[in-house]
């Protein structure tokens, strides 16, 4: 019983295994065109079936049997009949064909009968095909790869050559891509008969970047046309859409440094691929096939058909684990679908593995995962320089492959402009070629060429312009146009890097930094004037000094008359003298101040505190003024005075008498034209209104106009520095208006730019460029010997800002002196009013009356220097003798006294009758004493 149960269980397991197992033989069909008979594609298909059957780990209990049919290309009728014949014989899948038209018909049959259709061709139909598995990379992904390569190469102008209408449809996404908005594309259809004509047209239009989409069978005809038209040099770059570039003979292009780039899907350097190629060659020998398989290279179509057979086998393997695959029993007549076809196509669509064409992954029958190797033709062969993957973009692993200076022996066309000291013609007449030129840029070019590794030929630009865009026509001129048209490879000179030029051409790193400055003629020396000694002080200072002199003199006069201490006895030995004198009359006050101002002094010495304060503060004022004048006078005598009508750009923009301009069609003119700064916009409007008289075609003409006078030339500082150092009649006005640099210009996308930039940086770090600058700017023996005088050495008149403080000190001192004088006056008046003794019969005089009398006398500008002293009691004089006029107060002819007796008002006239000693003590002159004798005898009485 036990053995019986075990036997029943084993029998059931065997039945289950047979139920889920694949049939022992699975038929597959393949349709090839007649031109593919005995080709590498057919050989790869047969070898793939052979290897799968030999490998028992993949399908251990199943063998693949193939049925190959050949049909003429473009014969869809016979292709359909062949496919229906294969279906009737029970094939589980159909492979091929590679022709797009035939493939579409075969797919329609497979789709109707639910039979998997595996293809290895380019399919432009974007619709989802349910029963189609295509191992060829999708065209929209390939177009993206081409765009990434063109962007890396900085292509701005490209020609696309396609062979048939199908090629135009294939590249339409490349043409319509929004990423190519700045890319100028020229489309040309060609065939072997018209290759030369199309290439000749492209050459005449100076298009150097070409995308080639031709049939592989016609590739040699196209390459021959390139050789015949001599388009096989380094300036041209060809991008091929074929994956089989390695199979073509490129011997004629290797050593001319022609840029040829293409993609491949089969990495022949991979060890697994090389092993398959060797095994396939042995397989070919065993079956005695007529195909000639290259053991080094494998065409893309052969690799894709090989991978498609393995994709089908792996799909069968996964299907075997869960489903039963029944034999197909369908026909084109019944149109009854195969029930197992849908399951099988789903498992095939889920396959992921690495084949000869790289990683394989599908989505809805389209291949979404693959790797493209970027190939570049070098001197020995095509080499891998990078790779491209969907979603990751292009990854360049060998940038030097696009620019290999070590092995190149090419001659570059270098355009330039004659301009000192950058590029100049030698004076010798027996030199030719590049030896005709010399200068800073010529030496720099020689150093760079030796470092980078190229030969060069110097040509002058025809219109002698650097290049600026015409706003009306939108066209460039000068050097920029030469580079845009690819008529030159490099442009060396004082070529300024700016935004507009950088948008159409490329620049290297700057080799010199500079800015815009103003060139002007050296101003003439100021002629000596008769009154040049007044220059050290400004005119307003002279006016202030004169005003201070008048003010101090009047203040001294007034303060001296107010102060009682400035009144003194002119005869100090005569103690009874009632006359006092003031030395500071109006004339003496002016004399005192002018004497001290001239540092000579005078015989007048102030005695009162107030007048001494006035004098002291005036002396301090004169000390500062005289010292400042003396110091600045020395500067005026030693510094040459120049007449400079302009000092900077603002001065230039604010006047219209002196015209100014720039170099025509240069970066300086572009700077002013495009500037948003108001001062520079104003200057541009001035220049534009006077166009073309203010613009010059060359620097030499601009410099000559400056030397003629009344013209300012706006130029770059390096050229200005060179000019100024060689002509003492020229000078630089102001500083730099901007900051920029000179660079070597190349066409857009030129492979020379990066290497030249590295060479420039190396020369700068070594100091070679600075040595070249010193050689051509300073050490030529033509420099001008001048005594440079900066603005700091220029003597300027002293103004109020410099010595205005001394006037404030003077005014404060005068005010203080006036206050002291008033205090002295008030104090002395009060003291005199208290101490003075008056007779009882005399009326009492108040302090205010006393001060009023003194004030009235002091304010009399035309008054006498003398006045009576304070009233005193005298033993020899009568009480009525209170005032004896001074000599200056007595008129020359005093009136006669009246004949009637004098009135008696309680006061008697007291005179000295015969005793004249009192009169002598009072210093009364004799003539005055005579007039004082009484006409009538009057009893005179002396009050003892």
């Amino acid at each position: 019983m036990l053995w019986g149960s075990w036997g029943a269980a084993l029998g059931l397991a065997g039945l289950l295994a047979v139920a889920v197992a694949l049939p022992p033989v699975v038929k597959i069909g393949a349709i090839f065109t007649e031109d593919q008979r005995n080709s590498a594609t057919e050989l790869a298909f047969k070898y793939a079936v052979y290897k799968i059957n030999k490998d028992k780990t993949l399908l251990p209990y199943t063998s693949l049997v193939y049925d190959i049919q050949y049909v003429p290309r473009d014969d869809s009728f016979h292709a359909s009949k062949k496919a229906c014949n294969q279906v009737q014989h029970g094939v589980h899948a159909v492979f091929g064909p590679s022709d797009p038209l035939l493939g579409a018909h075969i797919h329609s049959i497979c789709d109707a009968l639910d039979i998997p259709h595996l293809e290895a061709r380019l399919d432009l139909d974007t619709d989802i095909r349910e029963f189609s598995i295509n191992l060829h990379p999708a065209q929209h992904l390939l177009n993206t790869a081409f765009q990434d390569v063109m962007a890396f190469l900085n292509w701005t102008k490209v020609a696309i050559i396609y062979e048939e209408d199908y090629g135009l449809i294939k590249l339409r996404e490349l043409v319509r891509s929004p990423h190519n908005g700045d890319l100028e594309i020229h489309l040309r259809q060609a065939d072997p008969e018209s290759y030369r004509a199309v290439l000749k047209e492209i050459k005449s239009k100076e298009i150097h970047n070409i995308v080639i989409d031709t049939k592989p069978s016609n590739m040699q005809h196209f390459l021959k046309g390139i050789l015949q038209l001599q388009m096989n040099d380094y300036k041209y770059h060809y991008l091929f859409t074929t994956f089989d570039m390695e199979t073509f003979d490129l011997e004629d292009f290797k050593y001319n440094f022609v840029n040829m780039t293409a993609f491949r899907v089969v990495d022949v350097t991979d060890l697994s691929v090389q092993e398959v190629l060797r095994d396939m060659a042995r397989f070919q020998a065993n079956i005695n096939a007529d195909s000639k398989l290259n053991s080094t290279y494998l065409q893309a179509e052969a690799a894709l058909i090989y991978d498609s057979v393995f994709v089908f086998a792996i799909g069968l393997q996964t299907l075997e684990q869960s489903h039963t695959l029944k034999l197909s029993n369908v026909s084109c007549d019944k149109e009854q679908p195969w029930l197992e076809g849908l399951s099988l196509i789903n498992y095939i669509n889920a396959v992921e593995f690495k084949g000869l064409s790289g990683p394989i992954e599908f989505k809805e029958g389209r291949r979404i995962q693959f790797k493209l190797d970027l190939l570049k033709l070098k001197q020995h062969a095509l080499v891998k320089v990078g790779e491209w993957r969907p979603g990751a973009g292009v990854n360049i692993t060998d940038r030097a492959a696009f620019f290999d200076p070590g092995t190149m022996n090419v001659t570059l066309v270098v355009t330039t402009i004659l301009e000192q000291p950058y590029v100049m013609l030698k004076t010798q007449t027996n030199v030719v070629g590049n030896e005709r030129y010399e200068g800073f840029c010529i030496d720099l070019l020689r150093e760079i060429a030796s470092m980078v590794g190229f030969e060069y030929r110097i040509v002058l630009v025809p219109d002698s312009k650097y290049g600026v865009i015409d706003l009306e026509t939108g066209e460039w001129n000068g050097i920029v146009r030469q580079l845009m048209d690819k008529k030159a490879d490099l442009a060396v000179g004082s070529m300024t890097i700016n935004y507009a030029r950088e948008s159409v051409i490329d620049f290297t790193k700057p080799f010199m930094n500079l800015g815009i400055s103003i060139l002007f003629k050296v101003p003439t020396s100021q002629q000596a004037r008769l009154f040049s000694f007044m220059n050290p002080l400004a005119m307003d200072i002279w006016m202030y000094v004169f005003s201070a002199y008048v003010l101090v003199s009047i203040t001294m006069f007034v303060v001296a008359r107010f102060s009682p201490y400035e009144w003194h006895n002119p005869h100090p030995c005569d103690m009874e003298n009632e006359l006092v004198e003031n030395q500071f009359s109006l004339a003496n006050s002016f004399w005192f101040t002018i004497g001290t101002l001239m540092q000579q002094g005078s015989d007048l010495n102030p005695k009162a505190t107030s007048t001494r304060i006035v004098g002291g503060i005036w002396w301090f004022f004169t000390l500062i003024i005289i010292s400042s004048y003396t110091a600045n006078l020395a500067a005026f005598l030693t510094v040459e005075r120049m007449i400079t009508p302009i000092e900077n750009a603002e001065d230039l923009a604010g006047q219209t008498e002196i015209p100014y301009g720039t170099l025509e069609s240069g970066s300086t003119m572009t700077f002013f034209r495009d500037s948003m700064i108001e001062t520079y916009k104003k200057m541009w409007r001035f220049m534009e209104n006077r166009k073309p008289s203010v613009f010059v075609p060359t620097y030499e003409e601009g410099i000559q106009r400056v030397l003629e006078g009344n013209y300012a030339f706006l130029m770059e500082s390096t050229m200005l520095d060179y000019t100024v150092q060689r002509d003492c009649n020229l000078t630089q006005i102001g500083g730099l208006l901007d900051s920029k640099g000179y660079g070597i210009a190349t066409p857009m996308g030129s492979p020379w730019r990066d290497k030249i930039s590295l060479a420039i940086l190396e020369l700068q770090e070594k100091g070679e460029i600075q040595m070249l600058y010193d050689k051509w700017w300073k050490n030529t023996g033509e420099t001008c010997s001048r005594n440079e005088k900066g603005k700091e050495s220029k003597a300027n008149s002293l103004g109020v800002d410099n010595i205005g403080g001394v006037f404030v000190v003077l005014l404060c001192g005068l005010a203080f002196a006036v206050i002291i004088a008033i205090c002295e006056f008030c104090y002395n008046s009060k003291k005199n009013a208290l101490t003075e003794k008056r007779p009882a019969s005399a009326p009492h005089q108040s302090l205010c009356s006393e001060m009023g009398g003194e004030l009235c006398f002091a304010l009399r500008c035309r008054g006498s220097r003398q006045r009576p002293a304070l009233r005193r009691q005298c033993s020899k004089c009568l009480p009525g003798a209170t005032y004896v006029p001074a000599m200056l107060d007595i008129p020359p002819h005093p009136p006669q006294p009246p004949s009637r007796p004098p009135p008696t008002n309680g006061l008697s006239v007291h005179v000295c009758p015969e005793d004249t000693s009192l009169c002598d003590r009072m210093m009364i002159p004799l003539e005055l004493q005579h007039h004082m004798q009484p006409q009538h005898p009057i009893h005179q009485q002396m009050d003892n």
Side-chain angles (χ1 to χ4, degrees):
M1 293 293 296
L2 182 61
W3 286 104
S5 61
W6 276 106
L10 290 174
L12 180 62
L15 292 175
L16 291 174
V18 172
V20 299
L22 295 175
V25 176
V26 175
K27 294 182 179 180
I28 58 176
I31 299 178
F32 298 108
T33 57
E34 291 291 346
D35 56 354
Q36 290 180 322
R37 188 186 295 268
N38 297 326
S39 64
T41 304
E42 181 182 356
L43 178 62
F45 176 78
K46 294 178 179 179
Y47 171 71
V49 174
Y50 162 75
K51 190 171 184 180
I52 291 172
N53 292 333
K54 185 179 179 182
D55 186 6
K56 296 303 180 180
T57 60
L58 187 58
L59 297 174
Y61 305 106
T62 303
S63 298
L64 297 181
V65 177
Y66 57 81
D67 177 27
I68 299 178
Q69 299 292 330
Y70 304 97
V71 296
R73 187 174 292 272
D74 300 332
D75 190 349
S76 58
F77 175 74
H78 286 88
S80 300
K81 289 183 64 176
K82 296 286 187 181
C84 290
N85 187 29
Q86 290 179 339
V87 169
Q88 290 176 357
H89 286 80
V91 296
H92 293 78
V94 177
F95 294 82
S98 61
D99 184 79
L101 181 60
L102 298 181
H105 282 81
I106 300 302
H107 176 73
S108 64
I109 296 175
C110 294
D111 187 58
L113 301 177
D114 288 359
I115 296 178
H117 183 208
L118 286 88
E119 300 178 278
R121 66 177 179 88
L122 180 62
D123 188 7
L124 301 181
D125 192 357
T126 58
D127 295 336
I128 298 175
R129 296 184 176 183
E130 188 176 4
F131 285 89
S132 175
I133 299 294
N134 196 340
L135 274 78
H136 196 283
Q139 184 60 36
H140 72 278
L141 295 178
L142 295 179
N143 288 335
T144 303
F146 295 142
Q147 291 174 8
D148 292 344
V149 172
M150 289 189 293
F152 169 76
L153 297 175
N154 293 324
W155 283 7
T156 57
K157 190 176 183 180
V158 60
I160 298 178
I161 300 177
Y162 62 96
E163 228 178 82
E164 51 190 7
D165 296 340
Y166 188 79
L168 178 60
I169 299 174
K170 180 170 63 174
L171 299 175
R172 62 185 175 185
E173 293 181 358
L174 182 63
V175 177
R176 298 176 181 176
S177 175
H179 301 288
N180 298 332
D182 298 333
L183 183 63
E184 181 181 346
I185 300 177
H186 298 260
L187 290 172
R188 294 294 182 271
Q189 186 174 9
D191 52 33
E193 288 74 21
S194 60
Y195 280 157
R196 287 194 59 186
V198 172
L199 288 173
K200 187 175 182 180
E201 179 187 0
I202 292 175
K203 183 178 181 180
S204 63
K205 291 186 177 181
E206 297 184 353
I207 302 175
H208 299 90
N209 304 314
I210 307 172
V211 177
I212 311 301
D213 183 55
T214 63
K215 296 179 181 180
S217 58
N218 297 332
M219 183 62 69
Q220 292 300 331
H221 296 281
F222 183 83
L223 297 177
K224 184 178 180 181
I226 294 177
L227 294 174
Q228 291 174 346
L229 294 175
Q230 296 182 352
M231 298 174 66
N232 58 332
D233 58 20
Y234 70 96
K235 293 190 295 184
Y236 292 93
H237 200 137
Y238 301 94
L239 177 61
F240 295 90
T241 61
T242 179
F243 291 145
D244 300 324
M245 196 65 188
E246 291 175 298
T247 62
F248 301 126
D249 183 13
L250 303 177
E251 191 67 24
D252 296 329
F253 300 90
K254 293 179 180 178
Y255 304 99
N256 286 341
F257 308 102
V258 183
N259 295 295
M260 289 187 171
T261 307
F263 285 113
R264 73 179 179 190
V265 295
V266 181
D267 186 3
V268 295
T269 62
D270 190 91
L271 296 179
S272 60
V273 175
Q274 293 178 359
E275 182 181 355
V276 170
L277 288 175
R278 289 193 297 267
D279 195 24
M280 191 182 300
R282 290 192 293 267
F283 172 76
Q284 177 187 4
N286 293 334
I287 64 175
N288 296 321
D290 296 333
S291 61
K292 297 180 180 179
L293 178 67
N294 191 328
S295 60
T296 307
Y297 305 108
L298 182 64
Q299 293 181 350
E301 187 178 14
L304 293 176
I305 200 70
Y306 174 89
D307 288 342
S308 65
V309 177
F310 270 86
V311 167
F312 176 75
I314 295 173
L316 284 177
Q317 183 187 33
T318 55
L319 175 68
E320 181 185 12
Q321 300 174 2
S322 58
H323 289 77
T324 300
L325 185 65
K326 297 180 181 180
L327 297 177
S328 62
N329 187 14
V330 296
S331 67
C332 296
D333 299 333
K334 297 181 181 180
E335 297 184 6
Q336 183 178 358
W338 180 35
L339 298 179
E340 304 297 331
L342 182 60
S343 299
L344 180 58
I345 198 66
N346 288 335
Y347 280 102
I348 296 175
N349 196 33
V351 171
E352 295 182 13
F353 88 110
K354 180 181 179 182
L356 294 180
S357 60
I360 298 175
E361 183 180 348
F362 302 99
K363 181 180 180 181
E364 297 176 347
R366 306 285 182 175
R367 186 172 180 178
I368 60 173
Q369 187 59 254
F370 56 90
K371 178 178 69 71
L372 299 178
D373 292 337
L374 183 63
L375 304 179
K376 174 71 169 57
L377 179 64
K378 299 190 75 172
Q379 194 169 16
H380 302 290
L382 283 167
V383 296
K384 178 182 176 181
V385 296
E387 62 182 33
W388 187 92
R389 294 176 183 266
V394 65
N395 179 24
I396 305 300
T397 57
D398 185 10
R399 291 177 176 268
F402 294 94
F403 179 68
D404 189 2
T407 58
M408 289 188 179
N409 187 19
V410 296
T411 301
L412 302 182
V413 178
V414 180
T415 183
T416 187
I417 292 178
L418 291 177
E419 179 183 326
Q420 296 180 345
Y422 300 99
V423 180
M424 301 176 290
L425 285 174
K426 291 183 179 179
T427 55
Q428 296 91 334
T429 58
N430 57 348
V431 290
V432 295
N434 297 337
E435 297 300 324
R436 295 175 298 167
Y437 305 99
E438 65 177 355
F440 173 84
C441 287
I442 301 300
D443 292 347
L444 179 64
L445 179 62
R446 186 181 300 111
E447 294 290 336
I448 292 175
S450 63
M451 295 175 63
V452 176
F454 62 86
E455 300 294 330
Y456 58 90
R457 177 170 57 89
I458 301 175
V459 295
L460 299 178
V461 65
D463 57 1
S464 300
K465 294 181 180 179
Y466 287 98
V468 68
I469 189 171
D470 191 338
L471 297 179
E472 297 179 357
T473 62
E475 296 293 332
W476 285 86
N477 58 14
I479 290 179
V480 179
R481 170 52 61 184
Q482 295 291 106
L483 295 175
M484 291 177 62
D485 295 340
K486 302 296 180 67
K487 294 181 179 179
D489 303 296
L490 299 177
V492 178
S494 55
M495 192 79 173
T496 305
I497 304 173
N498 58 25
Y499 170 77
R501 291 174 178 171
E502 189 71 44
S503 61
V504 293
I505 59 176
D506 283 341
F507 280 96
T508 64
K509 298 294 183 182
F511 60 82
M512 184 178 293
N513 296 315
L514 63 146
I516 298 175
S517 191
I518 304 172
L519 180 68
F520 199 65
K521 189 176 182 180
V522 173
T524 58
S525 301
Q526 183 179 6
Q527 296 181 355
R529 297 183 303 171
L530 183 61
F531 295 96
S532 59
F533 65 86
M534 299 183 66
N535 290 336
L537 298 181
M539 185 55 63
D540 53 352
I541 294 298
W542 284 113
M543 299 301 297
Y544 293 155
V545 170
F546 178 76
S547 301
Y549 163 69
V550 175
L551 178 62
V552 171
S553 300
I554 295 175
T555 304
M556 177 65 78
F557 169 71
V558 173
V559 169
R561 293 184 69 85
F562 266 85
S563 177
Y565 300 105
E566 286 296 338
W567 297 92
H568 63 281
N569 185 1
H571 301 284
C573 296
D574 189 359
M575 301 302 296
E576 297 298 331
N577 184 14
E578 294 189 359
L579 287 178
V580 288
E581 187 179 26
N582 194 326
Q583 61 180 343
F584 285 101
S585 63
L586 192 61
N588 285 350
S589 297
F590 277 93
W591 175 251
F592 172 79
T593 53
I594 194 65
T596 54
L597 180 63
M598 298 301 175
Q599 303 289 296
Q600 296 301 320
S602 64
D603 55 352
L604 302 173
N605 296 313
K607 299 181 177 63
T609 302
S610 57
T611 53
R612 288 181 176 181
I613 291 176
V614 174
I617 202 66
W618 175 249
W619 293 340
F620 173 76
F621 173 81
T622 57
L623 172 67
I624 301 300
I625 293 296
I626 296 302
S627 300
S628 301
Y629 174 82
T630 305
N632 210 32
L633 179 63
F636 267 83
L637 294 177
T638 56
V639 176
E640 182 182 6
R641 303 289 291 168
M642 311 295 285
I643 301 176
T644 306
I646 54 175
E647 296 287 347
N648 46 45
E650 286 74 14
D651 295 344
L652 199 62
Q655 56 82 43
T656 57
E657 290 78 12
I658 301 175
Y660 49 89
T662 66
L663 187 69
E664 186 179 4
S665 299
S667 62
T668 304
M669 187 186 79
T670 306
F671 167 78
F672 284 98
R673 186 188 65 190
D674 301 335
S675 178
M676 300 304 294
I677 301 176
E678 187 58 35
T679 300
Y680 303 152
K681 290 170 65 177
K682 183 178 180 181
M683 295 175 68
W684 172 249
R685 289 193 296 267
F686 173 85
M687 290 185 285
E688 192 175 26
N689 292 334
R690 298 199 177 188
K691 188 178 181 180
S693 61
V694 296
F695 295 103
V696 294
T698 61
Y699 274 120
E700 289 74 15
E701 184 172 339
I703 295 170
Q704 186 60 36
R705 288 193 60 179
V706 173
L707 289 173
E708 293 173 359
N710 198 37
Y711 180 76
F713 189 40
L714 298 159
M715 61 190 302
E716 290 165 345
S717 58
T718 51
M719 188 63 188
L720 187 147
D721 187 22
Y722 177 82
T723 304
V724 168
Q725 292 196 33
R726 280 155 181 76
D727 195 333
C728 294
N729 294 322
L730 299 174
T731 185
Q732 177 180 344
I733 299 297
L736 301 182
L737 307 186
D738 68 338
S739 179
K740 51 192 174 184
Y742 285 156
I744 297 177
T746 65
M748 185 71 75
S750 173
W752 301 98
R753 181 188 63 177
D754 293 339
K755 287 296 181 181
I756 295 178
S757 295
L758 293 176
I760 289 174
L761 293 177
E762 184 177 354
L763 290 175
Q764 287 178 337
E765 292 178 358
K766 292 181 179 179
E768 296 287 341
I769 294 182
Q770 183 61 41
M771 289 175 15
L772 290 178
Y773 181 87
D774 295 339
K775 170 186 175 181
W776 291 102
W777 264 259
K778 301 178 182 180
N779 302 331
T780 59
E782 302 174 359
T783 55
C784 168
S785 300
R786 68 174 76 203
N787 184 18
E788 296 291 344
K789 300 180 180 67
K791 291 186 65 177
E792 294 78 6
S793 65
K794 181 179 178 179
N796 296 317
S797 300
L798 296 178
V800 177
D801 295 338
N802 303 112
I803 56 176
V806 69
F807 290 93
V808 177
V809 175
L810 177 63
L811 293 177
C812 294
L814 294 180
F816 183 67
V818 170
I819 295 173
I820 296 298
I822 294 175
C823 294
E824 288 179 341
F825 175 77
C826 296
Y827 173 77
N828 191 68
S829 298
K830 182 178 181 180
K831 179 181 178 182
N832 292 339
L834 294 176
T835 58
E836 183 181 0
K837 297 181 179 180
R838 297 177 180 273
S841 60
H844 180 72
Q845 190 172 7
S846 64
L847 175 61
C848 294
S849 301
E850 182 77 17
M851 292 178 63
E854 294 291 339
L855 182 62
C856 290
F857 182 82
L859 295 179
R860 292 174 58 192
C861 297
R862 298 184 61 185
S864 172
R865 292 192 319 164
Q866 296 178 344
R867 73 170 187 179
L870 297 176
R871 298 170 184 172
R872 306 177 183 277
Q873 296 292 335
C874 181
S875 60
K876 298 295 181 69
C877 297
L878 298 176
T882 60
Y883 174 73
V884 179
M887 180 181 64
L888 296 178
D889 295 331
I890 300 176
H893 300 285
Q896 296 295 328
S899 58
R900 63 177 183 271
T904 58
N905 51 2
L907 294 177
S908 301
V909 179
H910 298 270
V911 297
C912 300
E914 295 178 359
D915 187 4
T916 61
S917 61
L918 179 59
C919 296
D920 294 335
R921 289 196 302 271
M922 295 179 63
M923 298 181 65
I924 300 176
L926 295 177
E927 60 270 20
L928 186 57
Q929 296 179 23
H930 174 74
H931 287 291
M932 293 176 61
Q933 296 298 327
Q935 300 291 332
H936 301 284
I938 300 176
H939 180 68
Q940 300 179 355
Q941 216 173 4
M942 298 289 293
D943 187 4
N944 296 325

